[in-house]
Structure formats: C-alpha cells, structure tokens
Amino acid sequence: MKIVFKDGNCIISDIKHFNLAQTLDCGQAFRWNQCQDGSWSGIVKGTFLKARQFDNYLIFYNTDQNTYETVWKDYFDFERDYSLPLSYTHRHKFLETAADFGNGIHILKQEPWEALCSFIISQNNNIPRIKGIIERLCENFGERCDGGYTFPDALTLSKLTVDDLAALRSGFRSKYIIDAAKKVADNTVNLEAVKQMPTEEARNELTKIYGVGTKVADCTLLFGMGHLDAFPKDVWIKRAIEVLFDGDLPEQYCEYAGIIQQYIFFYARETKLDI
DNA sequence: GCCCAGGGAATCG
DNA sequence: CGATTCCATGGG
C-alpha cells in the first residue's frame, strides 16, 4: 500500500483486498452515502470525508496526513492484512464463494458508542429505515460540523426522555436508546473497559443494557471494538450455518468468525441467496 | 390487507 | 431450557 498526500488530497494505491463500496455498503455502518459520481461521503468523529475508488487507487479528498493517521487509517482497518482471514475461507466451498464475492470488505473500527446505539436501532428493522432514524438522530441531537452533524454522544442523549426522541420515529427502540445512553454516560457500562475485555466477558457486560441481546452486543464488539471473533447471528446467518454446518460455525474459523460472518451476510443479501 | 426488516423482553410450558 | 407473542414503523 502506497500513500501520497498531494493538492490537499490523500491518494492510496497498491491496495490489496480493499473495496470502498463493499466496505461501506455491507451493512456494518449506516452513515455513508454514495453520490452520483460514485464517491462516498460520511462523517466520523466529527470529520467529514468524501472518498472515491478508481481501478488502481483510492482518493480521500481534502484529507491531510494528520487526519489520515488519526482518523481514517484506524477506521478503515488499513493496517491489517486480510489475506489471512481470506485464506481461511478456502477450507470450505461455500465460504470461499462468499468471500470471493466480498473480498474487498474490511471490518470498520467505528466508535463504540455509535456502533452500540446504531445496532440497538437496527433490531427488527431494515437498513434504509435504520439509516433514516440515525440521520434524524444526528440532525436533532448531534453537533453541527463540516458536511453535516456529528453522532450525538451518550451524555447528550442520557439527558433526554423517550418523548424527546419522538422525531426519530424509532418506535419501541427509543426506551432502549435512553437506557443505553444513561448506562454509558454514568459508566455503569464502561465502553472503553468493555473494549479491552475478552469477548465473552465483554458480551455479558453489554447485555446489561435494556434492549441489548447477544446479536446487538456482538455487532457492537465486531464493528465498534475490533473483536473479530464476535459472530453476530441474524436470521440469514442462522439459516446459512444451520444448512452448512448443522448449527455452529466450526472452531477452526473462530479467530476470524466476524469477518467470515460479514462475507456470508454480504453475499446472501446482495444475491438474495436462497440457501 | 399482508409480510418482513442485521432482535429482545416478557411470559409462558 | 425452547417456543410464542408483542413491540412501532415503513416499504414492498
């Protein structure tokens, strides 16, 4: 991977196993949108990014070296070599096919609170509506920043009531959002500590929050805390591993279960797969 | 009208 | 334990 900073832009070339569209559109993050010209825009940690991928290179517009190093390098998980998890999938025909299809997916390292809150909203919901609710959450309670609004922090939301969230039209999930915000804001659940815990202990900690079960906890661990062994099971994944492995993902995949899970999910969703 | 959507809590047996 | 039901909302 080569990185050059030129004319205020950050240009990345020689990238292996990375595809911007797959990574931003595989259902792990909800605040990225694609423009007519094929570029993607989003806001992370109050930093706006417009990015676009061409055949041999990736360009982050208006991005200096400091911003790349402190925000995007980590967020896009550019330091990791995905050839190892990809090689794991060669052990199974279906996994290989799914991984082939989404071989440019990286697991984002989103902010823990944003991941937790987003996946609370995701439950029994569909992706377009999830994005809408999160957009209204940011517009109403985030801070104005270049390009839009920040994701509101837990402390801000902890001071609100369910009625205050009416504009989100998030239904029964509102009470879950408020409880999560309170427990995170007063450190009943310390997200930075949870991030450092072994996955099982971390999952138990997160499920202390009202409205957070194992699925939402695992999504938070995987997409917001870098726990690549977390394995969120939605209906698609459940059905897939039921058919493929008779119930559970084999032990040999556990180290990268989360990445493999994302290959399966993306493949199933994009191809409307009927296993 | 019906069904489903990256689930979870409450309440059964 | 496992199975059911309800939860709000919007799109197909």
Side-chain angles (χ1 to χ4, degrees), chain A residues 58-218:
Chain A
L58 177 65
I59 179 162
F60 286 6
Y61 296 99
N62 299 313
T63 300
D64 59 27
Q65 182 160 5
N66 183 53
T67 307
Y68 173 77
E69 299 282 346
T70 57
V71 181
W72 304 119
K73 185 172 79 175
D74 194 44
Y75 182 80
F76 284 103
D77 201 22
F78 280 138
E79 301 280 84
R80 185 181 310 281
D81 183 2
Y82 277 72
S83 43
L84 184 56
L86 279 168
S87 73
Y88 276 40
T89 66
H90 299 158
R91 299 167 183 173
H92 190 282
K93 192 64 194 163
F94 177 87
L95 295 183
E96 186 174 39
T97 304
D100 238 24
F101 186 81
N103 63 12
I105 293 174
H106 274 206
I107 301 297
L108 297 171
K109 199 171 285 177
Q110 304 179 58
E111 290 176 274
W113 165 247
E114 178 172 339
L116 172 62
C117 194
S118 296
F119 281 96
I120 285 172
I121 291 167
S122 81
Q123 65 181 262
N124 196 22
N125 211 341
N126 59 65
I127 290 175
R129 199 164 86 93
I130 295 164
K131 291 179 77 167
I133 293 169
I134 291 174
E135 194 176 342
R136 292 189 287 278
L137 177 69
C138 296
E139 284 170 358
N140 281 281
F141 305 109
E143 286 176 29
R144 185 78 238 215
C145 69
D146 178 37
Y149 296 87
T150 63
F151 194 94
D153 57 39
L155 183 61
T156 303
L157 298 183
S158 71
K159 294 168 182 166
L160 304 176
T161 66
V162 168
D163 287 338
D164 294 326
L165 298 186
L168 306 185
R169 303 197 298 281
S170 55
F172 63 87
R173 305 164 189 86
S174 295
K175 54 185 180 291
Y176 300 157
I177 296 170
I178 298 293
D179 184 67
K182 285 182 174 164
K183 288 200 168 86
V184 169
D186 70 9
N187 270 336
T188 301
V189 175
N190 183 330
L191 293 185
E192 285 310 314
V194 170
K195 188 174 173 180
Q196 306 301 328
M197 292 174 187
T199 300
E200 192 176 338
E201 188 184 346
R203 184 185 297 118
N204 288 335
E205 199 61 23
L206 288 172
T207 52
K208 287 179 181 170
I209 297 165
Y210 184 45
V212 177
T214 54
K215 163 64 167 61
V216 171
D218 282 344

Side-chain angles (χ1 to χ4, degrees), chain A residues 238-250:
Chain A
K238 274 180 193 162
R239 203 180 328 163
I241 62 172
E242 187 64 40
V243 173
L244 299 170
F245 304 111
D246 200 31
D248 285 301
L249 188 73

